Amino acid sequence: DTAVSQTPKYLVTQMGNDKSIKCEQNLGHDTMYWYKQDSKKFLKIMFSYNNKELIINETVPNRFSPKSPDKAHLNLHINSLELGDSAVYFCASSLEGWSEKLFFGSGTQLSVL
Amino acid sequence: AQSVTQPDIHITVSEGASLELRCNYSYGATPYLFWYVQSPGQGLQLLLKYFSGDTLVQGIKGFEAEFKRSQSSFNLRKPSVHWSDAAEYFCAVGITGNQFYFGTGTSLTVIP
């Protein structure tokens, strides 16, 4: 019954590896997001995506790429992981844009060693 | 520069005491304003939002917030804090298009 679910909850990996985080929402929402929360709890938008357009935060390295197989899924692929990528990554969704309530997943804690 | 500021990084209150968390923004026009709460190990949950109309907004869990245009503020309040309110609180503002930003957060500790 979880509205926005993301897996895995914890991800520990070595520098240089490629990893993916999966996100699924069962709310029928049109817009999905990926946020990065650093150790100081600062939240930064990485991507927002609906079935019409992908908005990329220009500060996000191109090692990060969202992949949406369908409207209910927005996965995050990360290539060549770096130490600075360690953070908690949150998936979120909304009916249409940020003016609607954002529903968040419970986060994926990524640790790059 | 446009920004949303939460001046208090950490606040500690006693259970049963009143609470006020501050949020200030600096944008030319009145933005859309939100408060979200993040419990430990969880994602964020919307408490309340303000778009227009009555400047005092009621939210879930007994929270309210007041928009004050003259002070560019949207402070969150609760008359009596419960231990379960201990969490991280984020103010957020939305302008137009894709301009939506979270503040830096205020961590709330509740002591018995």
Side-chain angles (χ1 to χ4, degrees):
Chain A
D1 288 278
T2 303
V4 181
S5 59
Q6 52 183 109
T7 56
K9 190 167 178 63
Y10 301 97
L11 182 55
V12 181
T13 188
Q14 300 286 332
M15 270 198 311
N17 284 350
D18 302 336
K19 290 293 178 184
S20 295
I21 306 173
K22 295 184 178 181
C23 179
E24 176 183 5
Q25 55 97 1
N26 62 6
L27 298 166
H29 286 169
D30 286 329
T31 308
M32 296 184 73
Y33 311 80
W34 277 105
Y35 279 87
K36 178 181 180 180
Q37 187 174 45
D38 64 22
S39 58
K40 295 184 179 180
K41 300 289 186 179
F42 181 67
L43 277 159
K44 183 177 87 168
I45 180 74
M46 301 178 73
F47 306 100
S48 67
Y49 182 79
N50 62 24
N51 56 10
K52 299 173 186 175
E53 75 181 318
L54 171 67
I55 305 296
I56 301 172
N57 184 326
E58 62 185 15
T59 67
V60 174
N62 58 14
R63 298 181 294 104
F64 291 79
S65 58
K67 306 256 187 239
S68 181
D70 55 57
K71 188 175 135 174
H73 297 83
L74 184 65
N75 303 325
L76 182 65
H77 293 266
I78 316 170
N79 294 325
S80 302
L81 278 155
E82 300 177 357
L83 293 177
D85 297 333
S86 296
V88 181
Y89 291 84
F90 287 97
C91 178
S93 72
S94 66
L95 189 58
E96 186 175 349
W98 51 257
S99 61
E100 301 291 334
K101 177 179 175 180
L102 292 175
F103 288 78
F104 282 79
S106 56
T108 295
Q109 172 119 36
L110 172 65
S111 299
V112 182
L113 307 177
Chain B
Q2 299 175 333
S3 69
V4 51
T5 304
Q6 294 180 243
D8 304 305
I9 297 174
H10 188 213
I11 283 184
T12 299
V13 298
S14 297
E15 192 167 15
S18 63
L19 171 70
E20 182 168 26
L21 303 181
R22 296 184 290 165
C23 174
N24 295 95
Y25 64 89
S26 59
Y27 294 96
T30 300
Y32 299 135
L33 298 158
F34 307 78
W35 275 99
Y36 280 81
V37 60
Q38 182 181 23
S39 297
Q42 298 297 317
L44 281 70
Q45 179 185 23
L46 179 67
L47 286 175
L48 47 79
K49 62 183 180 182
Y50 172 79
F51 284 5
S52 64
D54 191 345
T55 56
L56 185 62
V57 180
Q58 301 298 319
I60 62 171
K61 305 185 180 188
F63 286 92
E64 65 178 26
E66 184 171 14
F67 168 60
K68 292 186 178 180
R69 184 188 307 274
S70 62
Q71 298 177 19
S72 297
S73 69
F74 188 57
N75 294 349
L76 182 71
R77 301 194 294 248
K78 186 168 184 178
S80 178
V81 171
H82 187 261
W83 64 267
S84 60
D85 293 325
E88 192 83 21
Y89 290 81
F90 292 92
C91 180
V93 301
I95 313 299
T96 58
N98 297 304
Q99 297 184 73
F100 177 77
Y101 308 102
F102 282 100
T104 49
T106 297
S107 177
L108 174 66
T109 297
V110 180
I111 55 177

